[in-house]
Each structure stands twice: as C-alpha cells, then as structure tokens.
C-alpha cells in the first residue's frame, strides 16, 4: 500500500468528513507502512472491525510517531478538539474513577482514531447500553516460555470440544502474536465479577482435561511450559486487542478471525496489514454470526459453585485492583511464609 503525497486529505466515512494529516508518516518502519496505510486498512475491514467495536467503550493504543516512538493508552476522549459526532460512553475503573471513552457508533470513529495515531483498538466486553454487564466472554490462551502458537492451537481445540459439550459457539481468532483468543457472545445479565468467575470455572475444567498442556496458575513460577488461560482478561478494565486490530509489532500483524477448521493450518504472521484486506474481501468475516445467539452462562456459574465447594474458590486479581471479596492472598507462592511446605 502506498501512502498519499498530500499533506492533508479529507475523506468521507459513514457520512462524516474525517481529516487525514501527515499521511506519509511511517508507522511500521520495517514494513514501510504509513499512516495512510493504517487509515485505509481500517476502512478496508470496516464491517469486521465494527462488528468487534460497535457501541463498545474502547481504549486506544496510540503511536503518533510510529511504533518505534512514544506510545500511550488513551482512556479518555479529550473535552476539546474532537468532532461533535464522536460518541463516548462513561465507564468506571476498579479505583472508582470514571472516564468518557471512545464508543464507536460507526466506521468514522475508527477512521478518526487512526488519524489520531491509533494502531491498536482495545474494546471493553460491554456495550454502551449497560457498561457494567459484559456481553462477551473472552478466553485468552497465552503460550508460556517453552510453548508457542501450535500449543495454543492445541489448547483451543480442546476448548472447542468443551464448548460443544456445553452447546455454545466459540469464535476463535489469532492474537496477532503467539496466542489464540476465543470469544463467546453471552447474555448481558451478569456482573464483571460473575463473568470472571465463569471464565475461571471454564479454564479450570479445561486444565483438568489437559493438565500437561493447560494451566490456570496466576503466578508465573507455577505455570511451567504450558498454555496459560488468562482469566483476568475478564476483570473490569482489562482488554484484548479486538478482531481486525493491528498489533504494534515490526511485522504489522493483525488479530484475525479464523474458522475453527483452519486454525490448525494458519501461521499468525501471514495475517498482516498488507494481506488481511484481500482475505476479508475474498472470504468475508468468519465472525459474521457472532451476535446471533447470546448464551446463558448459568452452567459455568454452577461449575464455579461446584469448584468453590471443593475448595477451589476465587483467584488473585491483577495487582492494581483493590482487594476483592473472597480473593486469596496476592503473594508469590515462593515468598508466602504461611504456605504449607511438603
């Protein structure tokens, strides 16, 4: 993709005029991809990324001078200098503070964010209609040192079988790195705490079935060479790069939706800014049906109750969170003086 030579362009997107300034600025130096390339990439996968972002409060990971320059996460839309049509949603952080985050109502919002130097989009798993009740349960299969994408794919295959038993559709995508993400569309009836508990229960069941492959251990020293199911991605204010989001790496990879049956055949490095638009145009969006049948997570909450009765209660939250009811100590096991020793 070649960048435009114009200093400033005005482009009509979803009925709004969006400015594109400094289109030739290089964002991905090793690939030569420019700001204009990033901008037009997001337009080319517009239907797919809007399926992932529409009406979701979204944190922007911005790289105004390119991925080798200074980066920051923007969680608040500025009060000034923003087009009047830009929609926001008020969200609450674990600290209790609030912020008005970008809440894309149409593709112009994505284009505006790209103009502002956004490379990665991190939506919350909620919609603006109810920002405290997730409608998306996200399973992050994260390979640990000594494992790689193929191990995450194997774990995803085990997860697929488990989801089939539960009668719920899972929607896989590459992370843009070595991991695999699987999304479940759920009914927005439960709190973040409840959905996180459900995620832990699902992860524990997966671990029971393949303990040599999968771990739920929060502490890195206990994970071994296994795939970690990062249940804390379902904690409030923790987000994952969305479907069709670019990733801020030298290869300019894309977190790309795939069909279950092709997951074992793909190489995540093949999905990048230069290749995904053609794939999308030819094959459409594998996540096109994700909104069709929101699921009732009651079976997972019943598993959580079963696990608690057997002595497997809550798991530690990330360190920046306030202490949560029922949460175990946040002490690294090797440094826990009260831990039973064999």
């Amino acid at each position: 993709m070649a960048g435009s030579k114009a200093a400033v362009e005005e482009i009509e997107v979803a009925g709004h005029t969006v400015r594109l300034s400094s289109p030739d600025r290089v964002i991905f130096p090793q690939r030569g991809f420019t700001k204009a390339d990033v901008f037009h990439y997001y337009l080319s996968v517009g239907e797919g990324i809007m399926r992932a972002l529409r009406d979701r409060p979204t944190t922007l990971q911005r790289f105004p001078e390119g991925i080798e320059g200074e980066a920051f996460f923007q969680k608040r839309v500025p009060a000034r200098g923003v087009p009047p049509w830009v929609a926001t949603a008020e969200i609450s952080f674990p600290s209790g503070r609030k912020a008005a985050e970008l809440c894309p109502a149409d593709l112009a919002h994505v284009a505006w964010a790209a103009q502002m130097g956004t490379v990665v989009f991190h939506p919350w798993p909620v919609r603006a209609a109810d920002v405290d009740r997730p409608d998306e349960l996200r399973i992050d299969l994260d390979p640990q040192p000594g494992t790689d994408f193929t191990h995450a794919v194997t774990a995803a295959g085990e997860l697929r079988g488990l989801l089939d038993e539960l009668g719920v559709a899972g929607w896989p995508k590459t992370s843009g790195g070595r991991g695999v993400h699987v999304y479940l569309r759920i009914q927005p009836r439960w709190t973040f705490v409840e959905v996180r508990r459900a995620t832990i229960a699902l992860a524990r069941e997966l671990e029971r079935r393949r303990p040599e492959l999968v771990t739920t251990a929060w502490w890195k020293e206990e994970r071994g060479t296994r795939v970690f199911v990062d249940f804390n991605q379902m904690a409030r204010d923790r987000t994952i790069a969305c479907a069709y989001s670019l990733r801020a790496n030298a290869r300019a990879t894309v977190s790309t939706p795939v069909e279950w049956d092709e997951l074992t055949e793909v190489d995540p490095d093949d999905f990048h800014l230069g290749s995904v638009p053609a794939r999308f145009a030819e094959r459409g969006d594998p996540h096109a049906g994700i909104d069709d049948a929101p699921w009732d997570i009651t079976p997972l909450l019943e598993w959580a109750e079963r696990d608690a009765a057997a002595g497997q209660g809550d798991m530690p939250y990330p360190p920046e969170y306030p202490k949560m009811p029922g949460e175990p100590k946040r002490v690294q096991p090797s440094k826990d003086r009260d831990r039973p020793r064999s």
Side-chain angles (χ1 to χ4, degrees):
M1 297 184 182
S4 168
K5 297 182 180 180
V8 177
E9 297 180 42
E10 290 190 346
I11 301 169
E12 291 295 313
V13 183
H16 301 289
T17 300
V18 182
R19 297 178 70 251
L20 172 60
S21 62
S22 305
D24 288 333
R25 178 174 295 149
V26 176
I27 303 300
F28 292 94
Q30 292 192 34
R31 301 298 300 272
F33 294 136
T34 66
K35 184 178 177 182
D37 292 330
V38 172
F39 187 97
H40 290 290
Y41 162 77
Y42 280 121
L43 297 188
S44 73
V45 295
E47 179 186 348
I49 199 165
M50 284 309 302
R51 185 170 287 112
L53 291 179
R54 189 179 303 278
D55 297 330
R56 296 191 185 281
T58 301
T59 299
L60 308 177
Q61 189 176 0
R62 294 176 55 189
F63 297 80
E65 301 302 321
I67 65 165
E68 295 183 357
E70 183 180 357
F72 61 96
F73 287 88
Q74 182 170 326
K75 296 189 175 184
R76 291 175 170 82
V77 171
R80 298 180 180 178
V82 176
W85 45 264
V86 168
T88 62
E90 186 178 78
I91 46 87
S92 297
F93 300 117
S95 65
R97 293 188 303 155
K98 298 182 183 296
E101 282 205 334
L102 182 71
C103 191
D106 55 38
L107 189 56
H109 290 70
V110 177
W112 174 79
Q115 152 62 17
M116 299 293 288
T118 300
V119 172
V120 190
F121 290 84
H122 295 267
W124 282 45
V126 300
R127 307 275 188 177
D130 191 342
V131 296
D132 294 315
R133 297 183 184 275
D135 74 329
E136 191 165 73
L137 190 155
R138 299 167 175 175
I139 302 131
D140 180 6
L141 301 173
D142 183 11
Q144 299 303 290
T147 63
D148 56 22
F149 180 71
T150 60
H151 296 89
V153 168
T154 301
E158 295 291 332
L159 175 63
R160 181 187 186 184
L162 183 53
L163 297 178
D164 286 345
E165 292 176 24
L166 289 164
V168 58
W171 303 88
K173 66 183 181 72
T174 65
S175 69
R178 299 186 310 135
V180 174
H181 301 156
V182 180
Y183 287 3
L184 310 184
R185 184 66 78 246
I186 65 174
Q187 297 170 9
R189 295 167 44 192
W190 298 274
T191 65
F192 274 97
V193 170
E194 290 169 318
V195 176
R196 178 179 172 275
R197 286 184 68 222
T199 306
I200 291 171
L202 181 62
R204 280 174 168 157
E205 183 63 25
L206 187 62
E207 181 181 35
R208 287 186 194 102
R209 298 186 180 201
R210 292 295 303 273
E212 84 292 351
L213 174 67
V214 173
T215 180
T216 60
W218 175 245
W219 301 103
K220 291 183 179 180
E221 65 184 33
E222 295 187 322
R223 293 178 189 170
T225 53
R226 292 177 288 180
V227 176
F228 172 51
V229 186
D230 190 355
F231 52 85
N232 269 332
Q233 293 294 5
M234 283 310 306
R236 181 185 290 273
D237 193 34
R238 293 292 284 259
T239 57
I240 298 176
C242 73
Y244 297 104
S245 177
L246 291 162
R247 303 309 307 269
N249 56 46
R251 305 179 305 282
T253 60
V254 173
S255 184
T256 305
V258 295
E259 302 284 353
W260 277 114
D261 290 342
E262 68 172 329
L263 187 57
T264 58
E265 302 171 357
V266 301
D267 183 331
D269 282 352
D270 290 339
F271 300 137
H272 54 78
L273 187 154
S275 66
V276 170
R279 170 184 166 89
F280 188 84
E282 177 183 349
R283 303 182 58 162
D285 182 9
H287 284 193
I290 194 171
D291 294 314
D292 292 349
W295 188 55
D296 179 343
I297 66 170
T298 297
L300 298 185
L301 294 174
E302 291 173 348
W303 286 2
E305 293 297 328
R306 174 202 65 189
D307 290 345
Q312 288 189 305
D314 203 356
M315 301 279 271
Y317 275 76
E320 69 272 18
Y321 278 66
K323 184 70 175 178
M324 299 294 288
E327 180 189 358
K329 291 192 298 183
R330 296 182 194 170
V331 179
Q332 188 173 331
S334 61
K335 298 180 180 179
D336 184 358
R337 296 179 180 178
D338 299 326
R339 183 181 176 90
R341 307 293 179 183
S342 57

